[in-house]
Amino acid sequence: MSKNNILILLLILGTAFWGVSFPVTKMAIGYSSPFIFLFYRFLAATFFLSLVFSKKLKQINWATARIGGELAIPLMLGIYLQTMGIKYTSASQTAFLAGMSVILIPLLKIAMYRHLAPAKIWVACFFALTGLAIISIKNDFSVNTGDLYTVAGAFAFAYYLIRVEKYSRNVDIVTTIVPMFGTCTLLTFIMALMGSSNAWLPDNNSFWIAVGFCALFSTAYMYSVSNIAQRYLSAERVSIIYLFEPVFGAIAAAYLLNEELSWRLLLGGCLIFIGMLVSELNFKKVGVLSKLYQ
């Protein structure tokens, strides 16, 4: 199996962790402020990654620390806005709107770099977003405060992925991961201090279980794999793979919150999978093979 395919499988596994984190986070933030929840989440992730990448810590210099700090701002902003979105709107609408980053990335690249994505990426985006819409949009779809938070978070995530793609070509991106999450920890700690009535030590097991799960799997694992993968995969392709998140989110919601699975999940998941295949397909090779069989 090629390195790219291994990374794709690891990313899909990460989207499963993200999917589970939707209902888990929704339950957790009812016991404390979003910033305190995110502070513990980033703190635990930073500690865990410092152990995993202990040999890489010696290679951190001012340049990699600066890059990590720069990447931390859109990452923290995106996660915070998505957390606020989960708080004020349904998980399904949050998942759909968060997935808008898949179309925002090629648009932002046009605006920032005048770079036009290949035609297959636009086709893949169409299939993936159609599938995501089928899963997430219900008859009573409406725009509320939570939706606006999530849309803003999608812009932040899109910008974050574009910057990771750029830096991963020039530096060892692994050396930026610990500084990035360390900066996220510091920023969320400062924002949590600014709250007037925050419970720093919630007396609820669900809160701490959510912190542990999100820190280890949704944060440390997923963003590390994502950053490493973008050395080999474009931001557009990574964002399309991210759209498996609402599929796993629906499954997790059915298990944890007793929500009903429907035909929407099956059909939408198939379209997302088709979108991922289109983004990975090498049409030049397909053309050569078709000529061989003529």
Side-chain angles (χ1 to χ4, degrees):
M1 184 179 291
S2 69
K3 181 181 292 185
N4 281 18
N5 289 336
I6 292 174
L7 289 170
I8 288 171
L9 290 176
L10 291 175
L11 284 171
I12 292 175
L13 176 61
T15 63
F17 294 145
W18 270 355
V20 174
S21 73
F22 269 96
V24 168
T25 299
K26 194 170 186 67
M27 290 186 293
I29 58 179
Y31 302 101
S32 187
S33 77
F35 274 123
I36 287 182
F37 172 76
L38 291 177
F39 164 66
Y40 286 122
R41 173 179 172 174
F42 286 129
L43 179 64
T46 303
F47 175 76
F48 177 74
L49 289 171
S50 295
L51 297 177
V52 172
F53 298 124
S54 58
K55 294 182 179 179
K56 290 285 186 178
L57 294 180
K58 298 178 181 179
Q59 300 177 24
I60 296 175
N61 52 39
W62 169 247
T64 55
R66 180 187 59 79
I67 292 172
E70 178 186 331
L71 293 175
I73 296 174
L75 174 61
M76 186 212 71
L77 190 60
I79 293 178
Y80 168 71
L81 291 170
Q82 188 179 78
T83 302
M84 293 297 290
I86 294 172
K87 183 176 182 179
Y88 291 110
T89 192
S90 67
S92 60
Q93 287 188 194
T94 301
F96 170 68
L97 294 170
M100 292 302 294
S101 60
V102 88
I103 198 69
L104 291 174
I105 287 174
L107 293 177
L108 284 177
K109 278 191 171 182
I110 293 174
M112 294 169 61
Y113 307 125
R114 297 184 179 179
H115 170 77
L116 185 63
K120 72 172 185 178
I121 294 296
W122 295 98
V123 174
C125 287
F126 171 78
F127 277 109
L129 285 177
T130 300
L132 196 59
I134 290 173
I135 292 172
S136 304
I137 297 181
K138 304 300 188 293
N139 294 330
D140 60 347
F141 181 83
S142 59
V143 177
N144 56 36
T145 302
D147 298 332
L148 296 177
Y149 273 124
T150 309
V151 169
F155 274 95
F157 276 124
Y159 181 78
Y160 164 77
L161 289 172
I162 290 172
R163 300 302 288 175
V164 170
E165 180 185 45
K166 176 185 177 181
Y167 286 129
S168 63
R169 297 171 180 171
N170 303 318
V171 301
D172 181 1
I173 200 69
V174 175
T175 60
T176 70
I177 291 175
V178 172
M180 180 177 71
F181 285 118
T183 303
C184 287
T185 303
L186 178 61
L187 292 174
T188 50
F189 176 70
I190 293 172
M191 297 304 295
L193 284 176
M194 296 173 63
S196 57
S197 58
N198 293 330
W200 282 91
L201 295 173
D203 186 18
N204 186 279
N205 289 335
S206 296
F207 176 86
W208 297 109
I209 291 172
V211 167
F213 178 85
C214 291
L216 295 180
F217 300 106
S218 302
T219 306
Y221 169 86
M222 186 51 172
Y223 285 105
S224 297
V225 170
S226 174
N227 283 14
I228 294 170
Q230 283 194 249
R231 190 176 185 88
Y232 309 96
L233 305 173
S234 70
E236 292 93 338
R237 291 161 74 187
V238 170
S239 66
I240 289 170
I241 296 170
Y242 281 1
L243 293 185
F244 277 102
E245 175 190 51
V247 179
F248 292 114
I251 296 172
Y255 180 75
L256 296 175
L257 304 177
N258 296 319
E259 293 185 4
E260 182 181 357
L261 295 177
S262 67
W263 62 269
R264 291 173 177 267
L265 176 64
L266 180 61
L267 178 58
C270 287
L271 288 174
I272 290 172
F273 185 69
I274 290 172
M276 190 192 71
L277 290 180
V278 170
S279 72
E280 292 300 312
L281 195 60
N282 188 326
F283 287 96
K284 291 182 179 180
K285 289 185 179 180
V286 172
V288 171
L289 290 174
S290 65
K291 290 179 181 179
L292 291 175
Y293 284 98
Q294 287 179 354

